[in-house]
Amino acid sequence: SELREKGLMAMVLAIIGILIYVSFRFEWRYAVASVMALVHDVTIAMGMIVLFNIEVNLDILAALLTIIGYSLNDTIIVFDRIREGIRTIKDPDLGTIIDESVTRTLSRTTLTSLTTFFVVLTLYLFGGEIINGFSFTLLVGVIVGTYSSIFVASPILMWLGFSVGGFREKEAEKLKREKEKEKMRAMYESGTL
């Protein structure tokens, strides 16, 4: 019971930290979409653990937290490409921007996931009984995390009503403020203020 209590507390704190960080780094819609994708990943991994009757211990908890980190990293890379696509692709349709951005990251995501998958598969096959549950959970997590970064997180961003026009207006306003600050700094340094 102590393991379950502390494990749940660790996951809740990790998800709260992720929400805060992604909201600060991107926007709240990105944060909610990424956390919903993480909940999807952990739920499926835990379902597979129950389905295959694997004993939950500290190794499984570590694997679940690793899945959260792995999947979040993948999701952030996809979201970063989407944000870059919003800035560079002229089409105002978010679906088209997401499609183009995911296409750009697909080869990178696939190669990274396959590399990780083969390493974890080797651990599962040759690691022995002690690391079996950990590697099985990671196998499921790598597959589900890759899937969710592409097919779960991005559509959730669309469902949350992310506005391309609003984002571009905020970016233009921020750029305008930066130019004004630079102009004031230049005037101050030259002694005209």
Side-chain angles (χ1 to χ4, degrees), residues 172-185:
E173 192 175 304
K174 189 190 313 181
L175 186 64
K176 182 180 175 184
R177 281 195 311 265
E178 289 294 321
K179 285 183 180 181
E180 287 176 3
K181 283 182 185 178
E182 286 297 319
K183 183 179 174 184
M184 292 296 283
R185 186 175 294 125

Side-chain angles (χ1 to χ4, degrees), residues 17-72:
I18 289 166
L19 269 172
I20 293 169
Y21 173 74
V22 176
S23 293
F24 176 73
R25 184 87 169 93
F26 289 92
E27 189 190 50
W28 70 268
R29 289 179 187 95
Y30 285 100
V32 172
S34 63
V35 166
M36 290 176 79
L38 292 179
V39 169
H40 167 269
D41 299 344
V42 171
T43 303
I44 290 180
M46 290 174 70
M48 295 300 278
I49 290 167
V50 170
L51 184 67
F52 286 96
N53 202 20
I54 296 172
E55 180 186 345
V56 177
N57 53 25
L58 283 175
D59 295 339
I60 301 298
L61 178 61
L64 290 173
L65 290 172
T66 303
I67 289 169
I68 289 175
Y70 180 84
S71 180
L72 180 68

Side-chain angles (χ1 to χ4, degrees), residues 64-132:
L64 290 173
L65 290 172
T66 303
I67 289 169
I68 289 175
Y70 180 84
S71 180
L72 180 68
N73 181 49
D74 219 14
T75 304
I76 291 297
I77 289 170
V78 171
F79 281 170
D80 201 34
R81 288 292 169 262
I82 291 171
R83 186 171 60 178
E84 182 181 298
I86 290 172
R87 291 179 179 142
T88 58
I89 299 171
K90 299 300 178 200
D91 193 342
D93 181 39
L94 182 60
T96 305
I97 293 170
I98 287 175
D99 185 42
E100 179 67 29
S101 301
V102 167
T103 302
R104 289 180 186 171
T105 62
L106 198 56
S107 63
R108 177 244 171 243
T109 301
T110 306
L111 290 174
T112 304
S113 297
L114 279 175
T115 304
T116 308
F117 177 80
F118 288 133
V119 169
V120 176
L121 182 64
T122 304
L123 276 175
Y124 180 72
L125 294 175
F126 304 112
E129 188 68 29
I130 295 174
I131 203 164
N132 207 4

